[in-house]
Structures are given as structure tokens and as C-alpha cells.
Amino acid sequence: MSSDESTMSATEATLGNDEAAMSSSESAKTKKKRPTPAEQDVELANFISQSRVTIETILATPEILSLLPRRYDAEKLTAGLAIQSTAQGSYTARQTAIGDETAANLAVTEGRKVAYDRYVHFRETARAEFRGQAERQALGVVGTIPVDTEKLLTQAKASYTAAGQGSYATALEDLGYDAAGRSAALATVTTLQSARATQEMRRTAAIAATATRNADAKTLREWMQALHRVTKASLRNHPELLGRL
């Protein structure tokens, strides 16, 4: 094989590899990407809205209504509108529940930051005032602050309560932890506990609302699929009418 032939062969091989790579890349691009939850919500909202448009169009078009079997008379289609309304209501309720859950999550995040920062301040104040291990142990300011929120709340509450006892209360009174200061510190614990309880309630409500929405959407989808099959068959010779749907 000549040098030129060898070069051409290598070039052809390279071109072949490039084409294969391009083909693979194009194939990857053309693969249908799985929709995100937000995209799925939009798709479902559009489906629910379009379902009403379809049913109302049939009800408002005598030419179409007359061609459908009696099983899909005005009464049956009105019942379909009720199914659509239920699905729409469930969709809206679920969106509200998700919004409430998001707000509750934010309240917990903010509440934890406030409670954590206040407890850090208390620990630094108490450790600066009391050097003895026994005193620090009594006030719960030894070791590190728990990462777990529930443990943080338990420890902070115990520390603030201990700070109001005997000599600890006297020593800390001028350092921002008199009765009012301790009450304010304990309030951050109570606020976070309340926020966590609300968060759990909102989470449970969002799960239930999602299940209801999905069930109602499934019912509507099955009803609409049956309607589409019937209209497609009934209007097969009337494409101009089918096109309105």
C-alpha cells in the first residue's frame, strides 16, 4: 500500500468515526427527555383545561352532538363536565397545598437559624462567665451543638431553663439573660417547635392533595379517552367537525 493510500484509509476511518460520533450525539439529542415535575404539572393543567373546551365545544355544536351515540348525549356530556370540574378543583387544591408546604419549609429554615444563632450566643456567654466543667455541664454548654433539630431544641430549652436557677440566674442577669432575656430565648425554641409541627401537617396535607389530584385526573383522563374514541369513530366522515375538537 502506498503512502497516499495509507493516508486516505486513515482519513476515511477518521471520517467514519466522526460520523458515528455525530450520529450518536444527534440520537442523544433527539431522545425524549423525561419532563420535570413542573413540566408535568403544566401538562396536566393544560389537559384539564382542554378537556372542558372539548366537551363544551361538542355541547355547543349540534352537528357533532347529533352524530354521537345516545350514550354521549347532552346529559352524559354534562356529567363529563362535572368530572372535569372535580379534577380542576383537585388540581387547584393541590397547588395550594404545595404552596403551603413550601411556606412551612421556609418557616422552619428561618426558625432554625434564629434558634441556632440565639443558642450559640447563649453558649458563648455562659462559657465566658462560667469556667468550671461542673457549671458548664449544669447549663448544658459542653461539647458541640447538636446537628439534629430536635436534639438542638431539647438542649437549648434545658439550657435556658437551667440559666434561671439560683446563682446562674444572678450571674447571667446582666449579660442579656434575665427573665425577659430567657423568655425571648425560649420563644425561639417554641417558635421553631410550632413551625416544625406545621411543616409536618402541611407535608401530610400536600401528600393527600397530590393523591386526590392524581386519582381525579386519572378518572378524567379515562373518561376523555373514551370520548375521543367515540368522537373519532362517529366523525370519521366529517373531518371538518373532528378538527374542531
Side-chain angles (χ1 to χ4, degrees):
M1 180 186 295
S2 69
S3 175
D4 288 345
E5 289 175 334
S6 176
T7 300
M8 288 177 64
S9 178
T11 301
E12 289 170 354
T14 300
L15 288 172
N17 290 337
D18 289 344
E19 289 174 356
M22 288 175 64
S23 176
S24 176
S25 176
E26 289 174 357
S27 176
K29 288 179 181 178
T30 56
K31 281 184 179 178
K32 188 175 181 180
K33 291 166 57 178
R34 185 173 183 176
T36 65
E39 290 171 338
Q40 290 176 339
D41 284 345
V42 171
E43 181 182 350
L44 180 56
N46 290 339
F47 162 71
I48 293 174
S49 297
Q50 184 57 46
S51 295
R52 174 163 287 275
V53 172
T54 297
I55 298 171
E56 289 181 339
T57 299
I58 295 173
L59 283 169
T61 311
E63 301 94 321
I64 296 178
L65 198 56
S66 65
L67 293 170
L68 297 183
R70 283 187 299 172
R71 187 176 181 183
Y72 285 92
D73 59 12
E75 184 178 352
K76 174 74 172 183
L77 291 167
T78 300
L81 285 178
I83 293 174
Q84 188 277 339
S85 293
T86 297
Q88 182 66 68
S90 297
Y91 180 90
T92 301
R94 191 261 183 180
Q95 293 300 99
T96 299
I98 292 297
D100 290 343
E101 183 188 19
T102 299
N105 291 341
L106 179 59
V108 168
T109 298
E110 293 177 344
R112 191 184 192 287
K113 183 179 186 307
V114 171
Y116 179 86
D117 289 346
R118 187 58 181 263
Y119 190 47
V120 167
H121 181 270
F122 172 81
R123 282 171 59 92
E124 291 176 348
T125 300
R127 287 171 67 86
E129 181 67 16
F130 300 102
R131 301 291 183 173
Q133 184 69 10
E135 295 169 318
R136 290 182 174 183
Q137 188 74 42
L139 289 168
V141 293
V142 295
T144 59
I145 298 177
V147 175
D148 180 77
T149 299
E150 196 60 40
K151 291 180 179 178
L152 166 64
L153 289 170
T154 299
Q155 186 170 314
K157 187 173 182 179
S159 292
Y160 298 145
T161 301
Q165 307 301 313
S167 60
Y168 301 123
T170 302
L172 293 170
E173 187 173 7
D174 296 332
L175 296 173
Y177 290 95
D178 54 7
R182 292 193 304 273
S183 179
L186 280 167
T188 66
V189 171
T190 302
T191 298
L192 180 53
Q193 287 176 325
S194 177
R196 279 166 58 79
T198 299
Q199 179 188 46
E200 181 58 26
M201 181 175 65
R202 299 302 187 204
R203 186 185 74 84
T204 300
I207 291 173
T210 298
T212 299
R213 182 205 66 174
N214 290 346
D216 291 341
K218 182 175 183 291
T219 298
L220 176 62
R221 196 176 295 278
E222 290 173 349
W223 196 93
M224 290 302 298
Q225 286 173 344
L227 176 62
H228 285 152
R229 285 194 295 269
V230 169
T231 54
K232 185 176 180 180
S234 300
L235 304 178
R236 64 185 180 281
N237 295 323
H238 301 274
E240 74 287 355
L241 296 177
L242 190 59
R244 297 188 190 183
L245 307 179

